[in-house]
Amino acid sequence: MIKEFEGRNEEEAIKNAIEFLGLTKSDIDVEIVEKEKGGFLFKGGKVKIRVHYDENDEEYNATGDPEKRIISFVSGLIDRMGLEVEVKVHGRRENRLELDLVSPDSGIIIGKQGKTLEAIQLLTNIVVGRVASDDYKVVIDSEGYKKRRERNIEQIARRVASQVRKSKGSRLLEPMNPFERRIVHTTLSSYKDIETISEGEGLYKQVRIMYRGDIDRY
Amino acid sequence: MEKDLVEYIAKSLVDDPNGVNVNMIEGEKSTILELRVSEGDIGKVIGKHGRIAKAIRTILSAAATKTGKRVVLEILD
């Protein structure tokens, strides 16, 4: 197989090729197709390379080792965000890979209410669909944020539940993603006098916690 | 830097990486990035209800935290 790649210099072009193909430098033969020298003010150089590689290698990596490609996608992504990161495998289950992003900039990687982390996870899972089977899932956390958030949501759910129990009314929580809403629903599922429903549209819906009284619903 | 980031993400999502083109227009306080992809790949960078486009924008603003400059992504068709 032959594929072309670009970069500002030869080194970057090769790096792009290796990352994209999920191969190592020794697996590929590189031929330089085009070389534009940079220099004038801000204009950078450009190098186009043609990479020759064994298709079997790619296939092996695509089906046999999606993990390597996923990790290289994630570290390539965060690297280009201008942040330092070490991508660690936190756990492996059947069809499921858990990654932990260790970084001095983990606050930025996580983002407000974990939104950046969610975005990274979403894109990664779409890219995963291209290198692994459809039911393969990647879960990405950074410095234990999701565990902390989980516990935090459980606490909020219980606190709000006891408030509506007193007021005999209902309260709407802040917008949450599906994973976070599930925590609220399951935490309060054993509270027979409390009901929880999701309201709104899109990915980030709000959970309403309602007092249902002592009515025996079953 | 942000241009590289958008290029990298777009190329990982589309079927035709060679069709990815990012044009950067730099202003004083904000940078506009215009993303073009091959005709058949538009849906791949936007996603259902714009989910993917939104994720790319979220990642872009995170990347811009350190520089403090606003980055706007426009997907052109």
Side-chain angles (χ1 to χ4, degrees):
Chain A
M1 278 287 281
I2 300 168
K3 255 200 181 100
E4 285 184 357
F5 294 90
E6 280 177 11
R8 269 171 305 201
N9 50 46
E10 202 183 319
E11 221 170 57
E12 194 186 85
I14 293 172
K15 196 177 140 221
N16 288 341
I18 290 171
E19 275 180 10
F20 184 83
L21 298 169
L23 300 172
T24 59
K25 212 170 171 178
S26 58
D27 294 328
I28 60 171
D29 285 320
V30 178
E31 179 192 338
I32 293 166
V33 192
E34 218 182 288
K35 209 169 187 173
E36 262 175 53
K37 264 230 171 114
F40 184 67
L41 284 178
F42 301 107
K43 198 182 171 326
K46 191 169 125 186
V47 173
K48 199 184 237 176
I49 57 166
R50 193 170 288 156
V51 170
H52 302 256
Y53 62 98
D54 197 345
E55 199 169 358
N56 291 333
D57 284 347
E58 190 193 22
E59 251 169 34
Y60 168 75
N61 280 291
T63 55
D65 195 6
E67 199 175 294
K68 209 166 112 188
R69 298 182 61 162
I70 292 161
I71 291 170
S72 107
F73 170 75
V74 177
S75 51
L77 177 71
I78 293 163
D79 183 43
R80 283 168 182 80
M81 288 170 75
L83 306 174
E84 255 178 72
V85 75
E86 191 189 340
V87 181
K88 281 188 175 164
V89 175
H90 190 253
R92 291 184 188 89
R93 271 179 246 172
E94 200 190 350
N95 279 334
R96 191 181 148 117
L97 178 67
E98 294 172 3
L99 298 179
D100 188 27
L101 308 181
V102 181
S103 168
D105 292 315
S106 74
I108 298 174
I109 291 175
I110 293 163
K112 205 175 152 201
Q113 278 189 29
K115 286 207 169 106
T116 308
L117 197 59
E118 271 324 291
I120 294 169
Q121 183 174 295
L122 180 107
L123 290 185
T124 306
N125 276 291
I126 291 163
V127 172
V128 167
R130 306 176 72 86
V131 300
S133 67
D134 280 344
D135 50 357
Y136 196 89
K137 272 259 164 273
V138 183
V139 181
I140 303 179
D141 201 350
S142 181
E143 317 247 337
Y145 167 78
K146 282 187 181 170
K147 275 270 163 291
R148 287 201 306 274
R149 174 94 176 129
E150 208 170 308
R151 254 173 257 138
N152 199 348
I153 290 172
E154 281 170 14
Q155 278 172 9
I156 292 170
R158 289 205 190 89
R159 197 173 61 228
V160 173
S162 63
Q163 281 169 6
V164 301
R165 200 173 256 163
K166 271 186 208 139
S167 68
K168 306 208 186 305
S170 80
R171 266 192 61 188
L172 204 55
L173 302 183
E174 59 186 286
M176 293 178 185
N177 68 35
F179 170 76
E180 296 169 337
R181 292 199 302 273
R182 180 142 301 281
I183 298 168
V184 178
H185 295 309
T186 46
T187 306
L188 300 181
S189 62
S190 58
Y191 291 45
K192 292 295 176 217
D193 57 341
I194 297 288
E195 195 170 357
T196 57
I197 54 161
S198 295
E199 291 183 5
E201 287 294 311
L203 198 61
Y204 285 84
K205 296 189 177 81
Q206 287 176 279
V207 179
R208 183 177 290 282
I209 299 182
M210 294 182 291
Y211 177 69
R212 269 283 163 252
D214 311 314
I215 314 157
D216 192 357
R217 293 190 287 127
Y218 301 99
Chain B
M1 180 182 89
E2 278 93 0
K3 184 175 182 278
D4 282 347
L5 178 61
V6 171
E7 250 172 30
Y8 178 76
I9 296 173
K11 283 185 178 176
S12 317
L13 296 171
V14 299
D15 287 329
D16 177 21
N18 289 325
V20 172
N21 189 311
V22 182
N23 186 27
M24 184 166 78
I25 304 157
E26 212 155 348
E28 229 171 82
K29 282 179 188 160
S30 61
T31 303
I32 300 171
L33 294 170
E34 296 176 330
L35 170 64
R36 280 186 186 79
V37 297
S38 295
E39 222 184 305
D41 280 331
I42 270 272
K44 296 219 157 73
V45 291
I46 294 176
K48 270 184 223 157
H49 308 296
R51 274 174 73 204
I52 299 175
K54 206 177 161 195
I56 301 174
R57 292 196 171 103
T58 302
I59 288 171
L60 261 179
S61 25
T65 323
K66 281 201 167 170
T67 57
K69 213 171 172 185
R70 213 166 75 93
V71 186
V72 180
L73 174 69
E74 284 175 9
I75 299 169
L76 304 178
D77 57 5

